Amino acid sequence: MKKYIVTLLVVSSFAGLRAQTDSVSFKIQSRLDSLMHDPLLERTQLGLMVYDLTADSALYRHGEKQTLRPASTMKLLTAITAIDLLGGSYPFRTSLQYEGAVTDSILSGNLYCVGGMDPMFDDTNMNTFVQSLRAIGVKTIRGSLVAVRNFKEPDLLGEGWCWDDDNPQLSPLLVSRNDEFMQVFASRLREAGIMLESPITTGSLPSETLTLCAVSHTLQDVLVPMMKESDNLYAESMFFQIAASQGGRPAKAVHARQLVKKELSKAGVTNIQYRIADGSGLSLYNYITPELMVKLLTYAYRHPSIYSHLAPSLPISGQDGTLKKRMTDPLTNGRVKAKTGTVTGVSSLAGYVTAANNHLLAFCIINQGVMKSADGRAFQDSVCTALCER
């Protein structure tokens, strides 16, 4: 009899919890239905999908199969693919190598700067390069200063980028975000009293060289500012790290696209129309669907090796990154972790939100055709508020 009573209590408790969950879900759906009457939607397109990860079921759909421009939410595809393929400790590496010998403070041989498209390489790192030469007593370089730029294809702009945008320079040799590595290095050498007797040139790395110095930043180092601040250069650098992972040189954007598509296939994306052009979302040729994005977010959540790196990199509502000044009220503050996106005519938001019943939801909202991005952001904030309310 006692076991029977306990069983009844457990069943009763479970039923009550399910009823509470169903009630919250119904209220969320009702609130989102009301938002579908927003005047903004009379003149713009909306793609929206919400998935309850805790209950493992779709919570809301509206135009989720429409192919729309993702803007910077495209960085989620790049980030998740890179984390899964390369891991958080993968190094973005720039090295200084040489051939020949050092005699009487003279390096008789070429000095090679080997680029690995590290977007975080800065003046401090450049000084490390210079000091490594001073440490072995070099005062004169009697050879060429060679830029090894074959890490990636030579194009400095991505496919479908607008020429008049503030576009990053997609160079394999970067210093403080600029494609001026060799000029800055030569200047720093002169300032340190190291004489160059031969011109700067471009070439390939010989099979037998010695590494004098190497500077690297990990994928996780790059991932956080890339996502928090929506840094396009960081995203494109990560895109080409994906491309380079198969060993081919130069790495090409087409290689990265193929690997992102494989990642989407692993996430269960089938029979969905989409197009990948770049890694940052700057391109006007990118097209995805909210359904695709939610499937990928669900896949990332279900794989701790991915989610443990992705989640800390996402902007948090009312607290940091591109969401620092959005959803600051107590109801939503800290409960939305999502990637923002803005290009002309498009405003988007995709990520995770904790609902009132503590269920974790994956969502994607794309507003296309919005003349004022503030209108799209306001609508997205309203959706997130609806997901957080009791």
Side-chain angles (χ1 to χ4, degrees), residues 17-29 32 48-61 294-295 297-299 301-302 351-364 387:
L17 183 61
R18 181 171 180 177
Q20 181 183 9
T21 297
D22 290 345
S23 174
V24 171
S25 298
F26 177 77
K27 289 177 180 178
I28 288 174
Q29 292 162 355
L32 292 179
L48 166 64
M49 185 169 176
V50 183
Y51 194 87
D52 189 326
L53 295 167
T54 306
D56 194 18
S57 62
L59 185 58
Y60 200 83
R61 302 171 183 268
V294 168
K295 281 181 176 290
L297 289 168
T298 300
Y299 174 80
Y301 172 72
R302 288 176 177 166
Y352 306 95
V353 60
T354 303
N357 58 357
N358 289 321
H359 281 207
L360 187 65
L361 314 177
F363 72 93
C364 177
L387 297 177

Side-chain angles (χ1 to χ4, degrees), residues 111-144:
L111 193 61
Y112 299 88
C113 298
V114 185
M117 203 175 181
D118 178 1
M120 299 184 77
F121 193 99
D122 59 16
D123 283 338
T124 300
N125 300 138
M126 186 65 81
N127 289 335
T128 300
F129 269 30
V130 174
Q131 292 305 315
S132 69
L133 279 165
R134 296 188 67 180
I136 61 171
V138 173
K139 293 184 179 179
T140 301
I141 300 172
R142 192 162 290 167
S144 295

Side-chain angles (χ1 to χ4, degrees), residues 15 58 92-93 103 166 170 262 270 280 310 341 344 370 386:
F92 291 54
R93 188 173 187 266
T103 306
D166 183 18
L170 305 185
K262 285 185 178 180
T270 57
S280 63
L310 179 67
T344 301
V370 288

Side-chain angles (χ1 to χ4, degrees), residues 187-339:
S187 176
R188 295 289 188 275
L189 290 173
R190 287 190 292 269
E191 291 172 5
I194 300 175
M195 183 184 301
L196 287 171
E197 292 189 350
S198 298
I200 297 173
T201 185
T202 299
S204 56
L205 186 68
S207 57
E208 294 184 5
T209 57
L210 296 173
T211 300
L212 184 60
C213 181
V215 171
S216 64
H217 296 92
T218 67
L219 186 145
Q220 189 66 27
D221 292 333
V222 175
L223 180 66
V224 173
M226 164 185 155
M227 301 298 277
K228 293 283 188 186
E229 306 303 330
S230 198
D231 193 298
N232 294 320
L233 174 60
Y234 285 33
E236 293 301 331
S237 180
M238 193 168 291
F239 193 62
F240 279 98
Q241 305 298 330
I242 293 170
S245 67
Q246 303 303 295
R249 294 294 183 276
K252 298 180 180 180
V254 66
H255 300 152
R257 293 181 196 120
Q258 291 167 354
L259 291 168
V260 173
K261 288 178 180 178
K262 285 185 178 180
E263 187 73 9
L264 291 172
S265 179
K266 288 169 62 177
V269 174
T270 57
N271 300 318
I272 295 177
Q273 294 289 318
Y274 65 89
R275 189 168 190 271
I276 297 166
D278 66 11
S280 63
L282 278 174
S283 177
L284 299 178
Y285 300 161
N286 290 312
Y287 280 95
I288 67 161
T289 72
E291 182 183 35
L292 176 154
M293 183 67 80
V294 168
K295 281 181 176 290
L296 187 62
L297 289 168
T298 300
Y299 174 80
Y301 172 72
R302 288 176 177 166
H303 290 78
S305 60
I306 301 174
Y307 192 70
S308 61
H309 291 286
L310 179 67
S313 76
L314 294 173
I316 303 173
S317 56
Q319 295 186 17
D320 65 20
T322 53
L323 287 180
K324 185 175 183 178
K325 296 181 179 180
R326 291 176 60 178
M327 295 176 278
T328 57
D329 59 280
L331 182 64
T332 52
N333 193 322
R335 297 179 67 180
V336 181
K337 295 181 179 180
K339 183 71 200 71

Side-chain angles (χ1 to χ4, degrees), residues 75-128:
K75 292 180 176 69
L76 284 162
L77 277 69
T78 303
I80 292 170
T81 302
I83 295 167
D84 200 14
L85 186 65
L86 306 174
S89 60
Y90 172 90
F92 291 54
R93 188 173 187 266
T94 309
S95 65
L96 183 63
Q97 303 188 42
Y98 72 98
E99 59 182 355
V102 179
T103 306
D104 297 329
S105 301
I106 299 172
L107 170 60
S108 299
N110 293 337
L111 193 61
Y112 299 88
C113 298
V114 185
M117 203 175 181
D118 178 1
M120 299 184 77
F121 193 99
D122 59 16
D123 283 338
T124 300
N125 300 138
M126 186 65 81
N127 289 335
T128 300

